[in-house]
Amino acid sequence: EVQLVESGGGSGQAGGSLRLSCLATYTTSCMGWLRQAPGKEREAIATIYSGGGSPWYADSVKGRFTISQDNAKNTLYLEMNSLKPNDTAVYYCAASFLPSRLCTGRFSVSWWGQGTQVTVSS
């Protein structure tokens, strides 16, 4: 069983930055971040494959958010820059064992954390 615990959420201002962390009991081949904004569907925003290759980003966050991981610490990060009010959402860390071709925005989540609230004010 893979357990994930997010931290780093909170309130931020438009144009500012926040850094989310996800501590995992085990680093899987495919890890990522998803979010669900009020009244919106859950969406994957970034994924990273431990075996290599470039991370995947949703168009809504491309160029502003950066996903990374520290394998030694079993920790996944999401650096959020140039925050916008519509970034307000509950952010979830997610993990799966998947081949690289499936580690995208439509990846099948096997485990995810409890979520952390991010609120961006204008």
Side-chain angles (χ1 to χ4, degrees), residues 51-67:
S54 300
W56 174 91
Y57 296 98
D59 289 341
S60 59
V61 306
K62 194 174 298 181
R64 299 188 298 118
F65 292 8
T66 302
I67 186 172

Side-chain angles (χ1 to χ4, degrees), residues 26-118:
Y26 185 81
T27 300
T28 60
S29 60
C30 182
M31 301 189 72
W33 292 93
L34 302 92
R35 70 182 183 185
Q36 187 165 23
K40 304 294 184 180
E41 295 182 358
R42 182 189 64 192
E43 63 169 342
I45 57 172
T47 62
I48 188 167
Y49 181 65
S50 64
S54 300
W56 174 91
Y57 296 98
D59 289 341
S60 59
V61 306
K62 194 174 298 181
R64 299 188 298 118
F65 292 8
T66 302
I67 186 172
S68 62
Q69 61 184 9
D70 185 334
N71 295 131
K73 297 181 179 180
N74 287 334
T75 302
L76 184 73
Y77 301 98
L78 184 68
E79 185 73 33
M80 303 184 292
N81 299 314
S82 301
L83 287 168
K84 301 177 180 180
N86 61 3
D87 290 324
T88 296
V90 177
Y91 285 71
Y92 299 90
C93 178
S96 293
F97 287 107
L98 293 168
S100 61
R101 72 181 193 279
L102 299 180
C103 192
T104 67
R106 300 187 68 182
F107 82 105
S108 180
V109 176
S110 293
W111 303 273
W112 46 35
Q114 83 286 352
T116 185
Q117 176 71 49
V118 171

